[in-house]
């Protein structure tokens, strides 16, 4: 019988997106469906959903969610993804009808615990109200971390045969809240302890997901190892080590119907590995868009990023003084923390004609950068998977990355015969500058450069392989929950 899977996420493309999580849940849902699963998706009904023109139908069922001595009514709306997967949007305007999903540029919304407790508990209540008890609930990141805790405790009787899989997309975001707010969760007090949801005197929703789910996954093999170390584990390394026989790395795939220079609807000219001439037109178009009056033969480096500490902007800013001495130009697209907005504005002011920045979230422009740049730079301090470097390969835009997490798993340095990009190890401005020098050195050798571009464009990171792995993980989770089998098979993979 078809496996029934509920994917729960605080962002899903094309409904609401701040980063890679949305791409992953959006695509995984329809790939799993094409592989025979019965899939449904749950998402808060944010303002962004209707601003993007998504229409949804209100269902007759509302759910009454108990929260801290109140009962909050949540409306259930239904629509489908472009591929036809049902999406349930949970509506409560005072919590979700806001400009941003989680935070303003000044910081997190003050009531995020309430917002995502309500979402998590409303998902559980909705499954009951809709009489849709799935085999697996696939939860993603801290915003959904309470779901495995609920199905194990106050809702256990209804979910005896339902397994939970919890995916960590970024361990630095844990959903930490003061212990005094614990009653909001409605969970039994005995779950607030060191083996449970407590973390150094606080509530930790990511930890809830890790300790209460049947299987934990993260988005690359390398990151699954890194997060078991103090350097990358953000304090949860011990907790993860304890669960290591139920912890797997599954690399994110790419939706090549969206990210492909042969068909991309946002770019100036289409091109392929056999004929790259369109790429030059895309570059000219991009330079114009960024008002960069530079010779198109100068190597153009792109950055598409959330502005956050993890992305490596501290070493980049130190490296800039050296980088601008080189024959290159840089275009930046990003949004996020104020300090990085200021940093890039300042760099653009200081180095006109060398660096140009657009501080906005603009999907069309992200595609234009992938197509129009020669290189994509990701000097991340850590990177769970990273999607932009995988997209850029398909566009013949060569990644320059730091060897961490998914960047390390997907990019092989040019020094290797089968290299598909440039990769440096040490997290330092010096190592970054050296790698950029090496990369633009190769750019001037047209024959070798084009051979590298073509090799990159032939790489295949389509979802099928990753989704197959998720399916085996779902089976393991269900068997674990129902008291069968071990994980040895999967760890051998
Ligand atoms: P993360 O999830 O850490 O932000 P990823 O590389 O996994 O990083 O995913 C980033 C996704 O978000 C990509 O699809 C990328 O194109 C998109 N993105 C990031 N910043 C912007 C932006 N300013 N405008 C448009 N798309 C963006």
């Amino acid at each position: 019988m078809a496996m029934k899977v509920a994917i729960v996420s605080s962002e899903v493309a094309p409904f609401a997106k701040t980063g890679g999580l949305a791409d992953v849940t959006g695509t995984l849902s329809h790939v799993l469906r094409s592989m025979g699963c019965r899939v449904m998706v749950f998402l808060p009904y944010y303002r962004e959903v209707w601003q993007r023109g998504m229409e949804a139908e209100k269902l007759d069922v509302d759910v009454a969610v108990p929260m801290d001595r109140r009962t909050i009514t949540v409306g259930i709306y239904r629509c489908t993804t472009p591929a036809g997967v049902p999406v349930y949007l949970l509506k409560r305007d005072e919590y979700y009808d806001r400009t941003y999903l989680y935070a303003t540029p000044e910081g997190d919304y003050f009531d995020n615990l309430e917002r995502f407790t309500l979402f998590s508990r409303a998902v559980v209540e909705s499954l009951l109200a809709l009489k849709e008890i799935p085999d697996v609930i696939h939860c993603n990141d801290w915003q959904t971390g309470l779901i495995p805790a609920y199905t194990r405790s106050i809702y256990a009787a209804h979910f005896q045969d339902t397994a939970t899989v919890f995916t960590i997309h970024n361990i630095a975001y844990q959903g930490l809240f003061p212990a005094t707010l614990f009653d909001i969760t409605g969970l039994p007090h005995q779950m607030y302890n060191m083996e449970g949801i407590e973390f150094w005197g606080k509530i930790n929703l990511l930890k809830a997901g890790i300790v209460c789910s049947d299987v934990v996954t993260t988005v690359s093999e390398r990151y699954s190892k890194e997060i078991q170390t103090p350097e990358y584990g953000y304090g949860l390394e011990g907790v993860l080590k304890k669960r290591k026989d139920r912890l797997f790395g599954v690399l994110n795939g790419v939706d090549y119907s969206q990210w492909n220079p042969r068909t991309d609807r946002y770019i100036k000219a289409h091109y392929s590995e056999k004929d790259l001439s369109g790429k030059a037109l895309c570059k000219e178009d991009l330079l114009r868009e960024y008002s960069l009056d530079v010779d198109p033969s100068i190597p153009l480096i792109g950055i598409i990023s959330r502005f956050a500490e993890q992305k490596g902007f501290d070493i980049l800013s130190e490296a800039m003084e050296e980088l601008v001495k080189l024959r290159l130009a840089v275009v930046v697209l990003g949004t996020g923390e104020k300090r990085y907005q200021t940093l890039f504005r300042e760099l653009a002011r200081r180095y006109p004609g060398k660096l140009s920045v657009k501080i906005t979230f603009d999907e069309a422009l992200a595609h234009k950068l992938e197509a129009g740049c020669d290189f994509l730079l990701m000097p991340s301090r850590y990177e769970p998977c990273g999607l932009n470097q995988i997209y850029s390969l398909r566009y013949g835009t060569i990644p320059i990355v730091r060897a961490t997490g998914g960047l390390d798993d997907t990019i092989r340095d040019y020094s290797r015969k089968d290299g598909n990009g440039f990769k440096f190890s040490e997290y330092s401005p010096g190592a970054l500058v050296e790698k950029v020098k090496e990369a633009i050195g190769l750019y001037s050798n047209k024959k070798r450069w084009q051979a590298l571009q073509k090799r990159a464009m032939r790489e295949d990171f389509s979802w099928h392989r990753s989704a197959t792995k998720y399916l085996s993980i779902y089976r393991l989770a269900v068997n674990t929950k129902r008291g069968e089998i071990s994980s040895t098979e999967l760890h051998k993979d």
Side-chain angles (χ1 to χ4, degrees):
M1 219 172 58
M3 187 177 280
K4 195 160 154 187
V5 182
I7 296 180
V8 187
S9 175
S10 58
E11 46 188 282
V12 179
F15 301 94
K17 168 168 171 175
T18 69
L21 170 62
D23 291 1
V24 172
T25 48
T27 314
L28 179 63
S29 62
H30 76 79
V31 179
L32 285 171
R33 196 169 84 132
S34 72
M35 292 168 81
C37 292
R38 279 192 54 204
V39 185
M40 56 195 141
V41 173
F42 285 86
L43 175 76
Y45 202 155
Y46 303 108
R47 179 182 301 175
E48 184 175 330
V49 177
W50 57 261
Q51 276 182 338
R52 284 171 174 248
M54 300 296 171
E55 297 202 354
E57 161 209 4
K58 183 165 184 342
L59 301 189
D60 259 350
V61 269
D62 285 338
V63 284
V65 183
M67 203 166 73
D68 203 12
R69 275 168 277 161
R70 283 185 299 159
T71 300
I72 300 181
T73 306
V74 175
I76 310 178
Y77 285 66
R78 191 178 184 279
C79 61
T80 56
T81 66
V85 178
V87 178
Y88 295 99
L89 297 162
L90 303 185
K91 188 164 165 73
R92 183 74 198 191
D93 287 347
E94 80 224 53
Y95 289 114
Y96 309 126
D97 184 14
R98 298 187 185 178
T99 312
Y100 299 94
L101 303 197
Y102 319 118
T104 70
E106 278 71 42
D108 290 345
Y109 284 128
F110 75 98
D111 56 354
N112 273 348
L113 177 65
E114 276 172 60
R115 298 176 73 226
F116 291 103
T117 296
L118 181 71
F119 173 56
S120 298
R121 199 155 176 184
V123 168
V124 176
E125 291 282 354
S126 303
L127 290 170
L128 296 176
L130 298 166
K131 300 194 174 48
E132 288 279 15
I133 304 295
D135 296 300
V136 174
I137 310 178
H138 185 168
C139 306
N140 296 278
D141 277 350
W142 69 263
Q143 292 87 346
T144 63
L146 286 175
I147 292 175
Y150 288 136
T151 58
R152 234 171 228 289
S153 59
I154 42 185
Y155 294 92
H158 302 281
F159 293 95
Q160 276 168 354
D161 285 331
T162 300
T164 48
V165 172
F166 184 71
T167 299
I168 303 166
H169 295 261
N170 193 329
I171 203 160
Y173 300 87
Q174 300 187 354
L176 290 171
F177 300 98
T180 47
L181 301 180
F182 188 75
D183 283 345
I184 289 177
T185 67
L187 287 167
H189 278 231
Q190 56 273 30
M191 290 182 89
Y192 186 76
N193 63 32
M194 258 175 66
E195 301 301 313
I197 290 163
E198 187 266 349
F199 180 74
W200 300 102
K202 288 192 169 155
I203 302 167
N204 185 324
L205 297 189
L206 195 83
K207 188 177 174 215
I210 295 170
V211 299
C212 296
S213 56
D214 295 295
V215 177
V216 182
T217 76
T218 186
V219 289
S220 69
E221 198 66 54
R222 167 96 192 244
Y223 194 61
S224 75
K225 302 285 182 299
E226 286 176 343
I227 56 178
Q228 296 180 51
T229 67
E231 195 186 344
Y232 292 96
Y234 281 77
L236 287 174
E237 56 277 6
V239 179
L240 286 160
K241 259 202 181 135
K242 273 199 197 153
R243 296 229 59 196
K244 72 175 190 304
D245 65 332
R246 283 290 183 280
L247 170 63
F248 301 93
V250 186
L251 196 71
N252 291 332
V254 172
D255 181 353
Y256 287 120
S257 71
Q258 296 298 313
W259 297 93
N260 184 347
R262 285 167 186 264
T263 53
D264 193 321
R265 64 196 161 118
Y266 296 116
I267 63 179
K268 185 77 181 170
H270 290 149
Y271 59 93
S272 70
E273 172 204 331
K274 292 201 180 72
D275 178 6
L276 278 154
S277 52
K279 189 165 172 65
L281 298 176
C282 292
K283 182 170 178 180
E284 279 174 26
D285 181 50
L286 182 65
L287 288 170
R288 218 171 298 121
E289 180 122 17
Y290 269 85
S291 314
L292 267 178
D293 189 15
V294 298
D295 174 352
S297 75
I298 287 181
L300 182 63
I301 299 182
I303 293 173
I304 307 167
S305 191
R306 265 186 311 113
F307 288 166
E309 198 202 332
Q310 83 173 79
K311 299 293 180 179
F313 300 135
D314 49 350
I315 59 169
L316 179 69
S317 94
E318 280 185 54
M320 261 337 268
E321 208 159 304
E322 286 300 307
L323 291 181
V324 293
K325 293 183 191 151
L326 306 173
R327 194 171 177 271
L328 54 73
V330 182
V331 286
V332 182
L333 170 65
T335 46
E337 289 176 37
K338 267 244 159 77
R339 56 184 166 146
Y340 297 115
Q341 297 191 13
T342 310
L343 168 76
F344 280 114
R345 283 206 182 94
E346 179 59 22
L347 289 172
R349 198 187 53 76
R350 211 174 328 146
Y351 307 115
K354 276 275 175 188
L355 184 141
S356 181
V357 59
K358 286 192 189 287
I359 297 177
T360 172
F361 195 93
D362 183 335
E363 277 185 33
L365 199 51
H367 286 249
K368 287 182 181 182
L369 260 85
E370 292 287 6
C373 292
D374 300 299
F375 296 97
L376 180 99
L377 179 61
M378 291 179 76
S380 305
R381 180 189 291 274
Y382 71 89
E383 193 63 70
C385 175
L387 288 170
N388 284 311
Q389 84 281 10
I390 316 183
Y391 299 155
S392 76
L393 288 171
R394 183 52 59 104
Y395 288 80
T397 299
I398 302 303
I400 305 172
V401 305
R402 178 168 172 259
T404 182
L407 296 174
D408 196 33
D409 282 355
T410 53
I411 304 306
R412 300 178 300 274
D413 188 64
Y414 185 69
S415 56
R416 284 174 49 158
K417 236 180 147 173
D418 63 348
N420 59 6
F422 293 90
K423 185 158 82 173
F424 61 98
S425 292
E426 192 185 280
Y427 187 71
S428 72
L432 166 58
V433 171
E434 282 316 303
K435 218 18 112 178
V436 171
K437 279 186 183 162
E438 194 185 320
I440 60 174
L442 183 83
Y443 181 81
S444 52
N445 182 332
K446 282 292 163 234
K447 212 168 139 209
R448 287 177 147 193
W449 170 249
Q450 285 196 352
L452 173 59
Q453 278 185 307
K454 289 183 180 178
R455 193 151 67 234
M457 291 174 86
R458 282 195 292 268
E459 293 274 359
D460 186 2
F461 288 92
S462 48
W463 258 105
H464 194 82
R465 194 166 173 270
S466 310
T468 307
K469 204 159 173 195
Y470 274 119
L471 261 184
S472 328
I473 284 168
Y474 293 164
R475 281 193 205 103
L476 170 72
V478 169
N479 291 338
T480 304
K481 177 77 183 212
R482 298 175 191 170
E484 300 150 39
I485 221 168
S486 81
S487 67
T488 354
E489 283 306 301
L490 274 163
H491 272 294
K492 263 193 259 156
D493 190 18

